[in-house]
Amino acid sequence: MQETNGKHWSGHPLKAAVAWEAGKPLVMEEVEVAPPQAMEVRLKILFTSLCHTDVYFWEAKGQTPLFPRIFGHEAGGIVESVGEGVTDLEPGDHVLPVFTGECKECRHCKSEESNMCDLLRINTDRGVMLSDGKSRFSIKGQPIYHFVGTSTFSEYTVVHVGCLAKINPAAPLDKVCLLSCGISTGLGATLNVAKPKAGSSLAIFGLGAVGLAAAEGARISGASRIIGVDLHSSRFDEAKKFGVTEFVNPNDHDKPVHEVIAEMTDGGVDRSVECTGSISAMISAFECVHDGWGVAVLVGVPSKDDSFKTNPMNFLSERTLKGTFFGNYKPRSDLPSVVEKYMNKELELEKFISHEVPFSEINKAFEYMLAKASLRCIIRMGA
């Protein structure tokens, strides 16, 4: 391991945006970032982005609050030092930290059909590192909790090696950092799970960043009709940039939205992707696909006590319902190739970025998100 220690090893005090309590503005603090332990990597974060998941847990609505905490999980950085046992990364490598991981040893990692690693699957309640149950962040001896194993709202962070995807060093980190969470989730839901054929039809429920990423996947696939479904008609103009060809606002109709879509498409769409977490949207997404071959994919995360019902004949008439986690991408194995899609100009990322702020103004990113004025806000570290 590279011998670096303390909070001044980089030549200046290390800054992190700390959430001291739920819903209160983050506070820029000087923090100590301990060296990486076994199977860990310390990296310098150059760019990070704000995702709805950060806001959700920062507000602590419906979860067990865990503060003080350093949020952030969509980011791009450079390896600064590595801990014992790390053999596939070295200082200087460009990486994307990911909220879920790939140990490469468990049954899930060895299966071609799963990306749900037993060891490193997302855990929103854990605020410490796996190896010793301790935090790598502290302020004057007080531990500061981690968030989903990444905590990228810090100039430096420590991450398990299994949660880092090594990528092409030529890729601009201020763009590809978006691939470490939401954009890959929506994109993969379409490309890896729904798998629409060229010329087919697809409905997307929810036109936030994840839904628009699903639309981007449909555009890449060559779908001829991409129907956006959202309660906010103002989102359609933005959605056109991502290939959405038609728009349906359920509030504009006096019949269930799945019936509206069935009428538009001669019996239903070939594929649908649900990106809201709403139970009614999940039901509609399933019931709007065509019998015989229709496939619906659920992406949105519902409340823990939610359930829904549908007539079993919807299954017996050969409709398929699937779920996905992180777009079915294995972080270490698959993300490098997604970055290459961007480098080869197959995938467009710039249109997902609506704002950019310096790290010192990170709370503006939260304001944009809460006002629903942002797709993704890029935060430039060290500024």
Side-chain angles (χ1 to χ4, degrees), residues 164-212:
L164 292 170
K166 180 180 177 180
I167 64 167
N168 184 344
L173 289 173
D174 61 333
K175 306 298 189 301
V176 299
C177 66
L178 298 180
L179 296 174
S180 60
C181 180
I183 308 309
S184 292
T185 296
L187 184 74
T190 301
L191 295 180
N192 299 335
V193 188
K195 299 180 179 178
K197 297 177 181 179
S200 63
S201 59
L202 184 141
I204 297 168
F205 288 73
L207 296 175
V210 175
L212 293 176

Side-chain angles (χ1 to χ4, degrees), residues 52-53 56 182 185-186 189 203-214 227-232 235 247-250 257 261 272-286 296-304 306 308 322 324 372:
H52 279 284
T53 304
Y56 185 69
T185 296
I204 297 168
F205 288 73
L207 296 175
V210 175
L212 293 176
I227 302 169
V229 183
D230 201 289
L231 298 175
H232 303 282
R235 289 183 166 181
F247 184 83
V248 176
N249 185 333
V257 68
I261 293 172
S272 70
V273 181
E274 183 282 323
C275 303
T276 71
S278 159
I279 291 300
S280 62
M282 292 179 179
I283 297 171
S284 297
F286 178 48
V297 180
L298 304 187
V299 180
V301 179
S303 297
K304 63 179 181 178
D306 280 344
F308 70 80
K322 293 185 174 184
T324 180
K372 301 188 185 302

Side-chain angles (χ1 to χ4, degrees), residues 212-247:
L212 293 176
E216 180 76 353
R219 181 191 67 79
I220 292 171
S221 298
S224 61
R225 297 185 69 180
I226 305 174
I227 302 169
V229 183
D230 201 289
L231 298 175
H232 303 282
S233 299
S234 59
R235 289 183 166 181
F236 186 39
D237 282 342
E238 186 76 38
K240 289 179 181 177
K241 301 176 187 176
F242 298 83
V244 175
T245 58
E246 299 157 77
F247 184 83

Side-chain angles (χ1 to χ4, degrees), residues 33-51:
V33 184
Q37 301 303 305
M39 303 306 291
E40 296 174 359
V41 175
R42 186 163 59 185
L43 56 144
K44 180 177 183 179
I45 299 296
L46 297 185
F47 295 94
T48 187
S49 172
L50 180 63
C51 171

Side-chain angles (χ1 to χ4, degrees), residues 71-128:
F71 288 102
H73 64 284
E74 278 190 353
I78 299 176
V79 172
E80 178 270 338
S81 58
V82 302
E84 181 183 351
V86 176
T87 58
D88 55 352
L89 289 174
E90 59 184 23
D93 284 342
H94 287 218
V95 293
L96 300 181
V98 185
F99 64 89
T100 186
E102 181 185 355
C103 72
K104 297 193 175 184
E105 298 296 331
C106 70
R107 289 181 65 191
H108 283 278
C109 286
K110 290 181 177 180
S111 168
E112 294 182 358
E113 300 179 44
S114 175
N115 66 339
M116 302 190 72
C117 176
D118 281 331
L119 178 67
L120 300 170
R121 191 179 307 185
I122 184 172
N123 184 330
T124 57
D125 292 331
R126 187 174 62 235
V128 294

